[in-house]
Amino acid sequence: MTVLSSIIGLFNTRLALALDPPVVPKNEAPLRFGILGAANIAPSALITPARSHPDVVIYAVAARDETRARAYARKHRIPVVFSSYQDLLDSPDVDAVYNPLPNGLHFEWTMKALTAGKHVLLEKPSSNRAEETRQMFELATKKNLVLLEAFHYRFHPANHRFKEIITSGTLGELRSLQVDTRMFSGFFPARDIRFNYELGGGAAADMGCYGLSVVRWVTDSEPIVEFAKAELFNGRADVDRAMVSDLIFDSSPHSSSRIYAHIACDLARPWKFGILPTLPTFNITATCARGTVRCTFFIMPAFIHSITIHENGKPPIKETRYKFLGENTIGKDWWTTYRYQLEAFVNRVRNRNPQHWISGDDSVAQMRALEAVYVKAGLQLRPASNVEFH
């Protein structure tokens, strides 16, 4: 067997397990999840990862269209269907809620879930406004509940390895970061919620928030938005199809001088010559004093990625990292970003220390930075919720 065929075999095995993981026996009193909405993201983000977690069951789903909810439940073998979100929240049999609703509904239904005493796994971005995010985490703390913004990429070992290379100082001080997250035109239909301003749509709020999150995480500091420019969607004055932004980090522990970051995101990148779709791009590159390090497909590294370390004057070195190293680490090499994230969420609920966590303060700071990008680009902030909580 050649080395190449061995690599392909390992990839196929890992991919098969990630997409169709083993169903493990469940603990006596597992965490029972309810899903708000029959969202397309839920199977990969929660339903599939839950199959291999002994302490998680997907108990219920609710949707505004009950017929759709019942079809969704049959497809994904979810035993209970509720005809409204509130009915699901009122159920004493639901312990935790997954909220993948459109961005503009995150605040309302997360606040209602917390008020009902449910832990919440909340899709990114956490809300439309930093003030809303602050209120949600304040309520979670008050009620001693777990609330996590689902930036799933942060839980995967590939991204931790990328950051480790930078913070170790092997390549010298960090100088700059470049992030590209782009999809080709037509991947998302024109009527997708990502292009709906009223629901919190826009490239920076959707795909672009990954880039903003990762540069904040890698630098361990908060940015000044120096420049931002939007490409509008179909001439709309309020929805960004694409966004580029330049950030400055003045006080990172990983450099004695300023760090610069360039972030580019695009939900509908034009086709080459008008006939060829461009490949999806999810890459981050760090330039340090003595070289560069690049991670490809950093958002979904479980399926494929590469980490290229290029120290000045030396040949590049390529790595992959599908599992954390060490004796007391968790995970399997086929675990997806979402499976690692679910492990951390459950550990937090069960009062165990997760291997990684995203704090409420981090989520609030993330929203402040996102607001600053929209302001610098001259666009309106995404609309605040008209539902008030006291």
Side-chain angles (χ1 to χ4, degrees), residues 72-294:
Y72 191 88
R74 284 194 300 271
K75 180 177 181 180
H76 299 293
R77 300 179 182 178
I78 301 172
V80 177
V81 175
F82 290 98
S83 59
S84 73
Y85 300 154
Q86 192 60 55
D87 285 346
L88 184 150
L89 298 183
D90 289 339
S91 171
D93 296 320
V94 172
D95 305 307
V97 167
Y98 174 52
N99 184 352
L101 297 172
N103 302 344
L105 299 177
H106 284 184
F107 174 68
E108 175 183 354
W109 288 103
T110 297
M111 291 293 283
K112 288 179 177 178
L114 294 169
T115 299
K118 314 301 183 186
H119 305 287
V120 181
L121 178 59
L122 173 62
E123 266 306 327
K124 57 80 197 164
S126 56
S127 66
N128 277 354
R129 299 289 182 93
E131 173 57 22
E132 293 176 349
T133 302
R134 185 197 65 77
Q135 289 184 49
M136 289 189 292
F137 280 96
E138 186 178 79
L139 180 58
T141 299
K142 181 179 178 181
K143 295 183 71 68
N144 196 30
L145 294 167
V146 173
L147 172 60
L148 174 65
E149 183 180 14
F151 273 114
H152 56 98
Y153 80 92
R154 279 206 200 175
F155 295 86
H156 196 274
N159 290 311
H160 283 261
R161 174 56 180 154
F162 174 79
K163 182 176 179 179
E164 176 186 60
I165 294 165
I166 296 167
T167 58
S168 69
T170 303
L171 298 176
E173 289 192 338
L174 179 61
R175 294 286 186 254
S176 66
L177 293 158
Q178 181 169 329
V179 187
D180 292 297
T181 55
R182 311 187 203 206
M183 292 300 300
F184 57 86
S185 179
F187 184 86
F188 299 117
R191 297 182 67 179
D192 192 278
I193 59 171
R194 291 170 178 83
F195 302 119
N196 187 319
Y197 172 77
E198 288 72 23
L199 293 177
D206 186 76
M207 196 174 294
C209 69
Y210 283 110
L212 192 56
S213 171
V214 74
V215 298
R216 292 179 49 256
W217 179 54
V218 167
T219 61
D220 289 307
S221 59
E222 298 303 329
I224 299 168
V225 181
E226 184 179 49
F227 170 82
K229 181 180 179 181
E231 295 287 339
L232 300 178
F233 175 69
N234 286 353
R236 289 279 302 267
D238 49 12
V239 176
D240 47 314
R241 186 215 80 212
M243 181 78 76
V244 294
S245 56
D246 293 323
L247 314 179
I248 295 171
F249 296 86
D250 273 333
S251 57
S252 171
H254 310 305
S255 180
S256 59
S257 58
R258 279 184 162 183
I259 298 170
Y260 296 88
H262 178 77
I263 301 173
C265 63
D266 199 331
L267 293 175
R269 193 178 189 181
W271 289 27
K272 289 183 178 180
F273 313 114
I275 57 172
L276 298 174
T278 54
L279 292 175
T281 305
F282 307 110
N283 303 330
I284 177 168
T285 303
T287 300
C288 302
R290 296 194 299 274
T292 62
V293 55
R294 184 172 188 253

Side-chain angles (χ1 to χ4, degrees), residues 21-31 46-58 339 342:
V23 179
V24 299
K26 301 301 179 179
N27 294 341
E28 185 176 345
L31 195 66
L46 179 63
I47 296 171
T48 299
R51 293 176 60 183
S52 65
H53 200 301
D55 207 17
V56 175
V57 295
I58 308 304
R339 180 60 180 84
L342 183 61

Side-chain angles (χ1 to χ4, degrees), residues 10 14 17 153-162 164 301-305 307 319-337 339-340 343 355:
L10 287 171
R14 188 171 58 246
L17 286 168
Y153 80 92
R154 279 206 200 175
F155 295 86
H156 196 274
N159 290 311
H160 283 261
R161 174 56 180 154
F162 174 79
E164 176 186 60
F303 301 113
I304 189 170
H305 71 270
I307 303 168
E319 294 184 6
T320 57
R321 184 65 60 86
Y322 291 98
K323 191 168 184 283
F324 287 104
L325 304 182
E327 295 181 0
N328 299 315
T329 57
I330 54 97
K332 300 181 183 297
D333 63 2
W334 53 266
W335 277 19
T336 64
T337 53
R339 180 60 180 84
Y340 277 106
E343 188 78 12
Q355 188 153 306

